[in-house]
Amino acid sequence: MDGGKLVVLTNAFSKKTRKTPSKEIALAEQRKKEYQTEKTP
């Protein structure tokens, strides 16, 4: 969420098991950090 009004999709994958792969979590976290860094003036 970005200020409670905008949802930013950073990552998508096909989940075939209950556990989310660590590499997918790391990728999403990296993209979130990049988005927040670029968004900040």
Side-chain angles (χ1 to χ4, degrees), residues 10-14 19-31:
T10 61
N11 194 20
F13 62 95
S14 179
K19 187 173 179 182
T20 302
S22 298
K23 68 177 187 173
E24 296 296 342
I25 294 172
L27 180 59
E29 290 173 342
Q30 175 189 353
R31 290 182 179 168

Side-chain angles (χ1 to χ4, degrees), residues 3-17:
K5 297 182 181 187
L6 175 68
V7 175
V8 179
L9 179 63
T10 61
N11 194 20
F13 62 95
S14 179
K15 189 171 177 181
K16 297 179 182 174
T17 64

